[in-house]
Amino acid sequence: MRTMTVIGTGLIGTSIALAVSGRGVRVFLSDRDPAAARTAAALGAGLARDPGETVDLAVIAVPPSHVGAVLTEAQERGLARAYTDVASVKAGPEQAALRRAPDPARYVGGHPLAGRERSGPLAARAELFRDRNWVLTPSRLTSDEAFERALELVALCAAVPVVMRSQDHDAAVAVTSHVPHLMASLMAARLTEGPCRARGCRRPGSPPTGRRSSATCTPTCPASYRRWTR
């Protein structure tokens, strides 16, 4: 792979760009917030501009509900030869791609099972995915070329590829990740607003209490809770 575009320069998108650019790939960065793309570029993740030519792979690092629209727009303008995403749920984006994308054969779903308690490009790390599982969910239409590009991305990030059906991925993640996160969020909110607060106890996440792990494991964006419970 010689060129890649990352659409969405938050924690995951910027971490991917840092890892891949460090392996010699020319990376272009895009975000609906130009300041976020410029921040990622300043960190060495790539160039905050349009590539001006078709790239080998486009990585769509946006929330699950936006993947379909972003993929469709990118394919309509011929941005890349292959496309993948990093959304934490896979069936919805896959259905959107099959229904709306001009060329769904060029798309393969992806989900790197890595993250941090912080968000945004400044929290990004090139080594974030090292030795972590990275699920790929090819659809019935995914081409061999698109799948190979996605595998190459996983290798460039030093992650471990795991191939699953999108529905199987979502069922597994719901039990092992989303439900624990939701319960931790509810616990953190209860500890913050409950009787402990009136007694002057530390806020969740403040050492040395045992609540630190619960608060740390909660997602940083409240929209995540709504997305998982839909």
Side-chain angles (χ1 to χ4, degrees):
M1 190 187 311
R2 297 183 302 104
T3 56
M4 186 178 80
T5 290
V6 174
I7 305 173
T9 52
L11 167 65
I12 300 299
T14 304
S15 293
I16 290 172
L18 287 169
V20 172
S21 62
R23 300 290 299 275
V25 177
R26 188 172 175 84
V27 180
F28 300 90
L29 307 168
S30 172
D31 196 284
R32 63 180 181 180
D33 178 6
R38 289 195 297 268
T39 298
L43 295 171
L47 302 171
R49 64 173 178 84
D50 189 90
E53 62 181 8
T54 301
V55 298
D56 294 323
L57 179 68
V59 178
I60 301 171
V62 301
S65 60
H66 296 279
V67 170
V70 173
L71 173 64
T72 298
E73 189 275 334
Q75 287 197 343
E76 285 177 344
R77 61 189 180 99
L79 177 63
R81 297 177 181 86
Y83 302 79
T84 188
D85 74 291
V86 296
S88 60
V89 294
K90 304 293 1 136
E94 180 180 290
Q95 291 167 7
L98 294 176
R99 185 174 62 252
R100 301 169 57 183
D103 192 355
R106 294 181 181 270
Y107 164 76
V108 55
H111 179 201
L113 300 179
R116 300 186 67 196
E117 71 281 5
R118 299 168 56 202
S119 61
L122 291 175
R125 298 289 184 271
E127 67 276 9
L128 184 65
F129 311 105
R130 182 174 299 278
D131 298 326
R132 304 298 298 271
N133 288 342
W134 190 311
V135 179
L136 297 176
T137 57
S139 76
R140 66 182 186 278
L141 297 181
T142 299
S143 68
D144 290 343
E145 180 185 0
F147 186 60
E148 290 299 325
R149 290 294 186 195
L151 283 174
E152 190 175 358
L153 170 66
V154 175
L156 288 168
C157 292
V160 180
V162 177
V163 181
M164 302 178 70
R165 294 173 58 248
S166 59
Q167 296 88 345
D168 293 339
H169 164 275
D170 290 357
V173 170
V175 174
T176 60
S177 177
H178 292 169
V179 170
H181 270 292
L182 182 60
M183 295 305 297
S185 301
L186 294 173
M187 181 183 297
R190 180 68 182 90
L191 291 170
T192 301
E193 302 300 332
C196 182
R197 185 174 183 179
R199 293 196 298 269
C201 296
R202 295 175 182 266
R203 292 177 62 82
S206 300
T209 72
R211 296 189 293 273
R212 179 175 185 141
S213 60
S214 295
T216 299
C217 128
T218 61
T220 56
C221 177
S224 299
Y225 317 147
R226 296 192 295 272
R227 190 164 67 238
W228 295 342
T229 54
R230 283 176 181 167

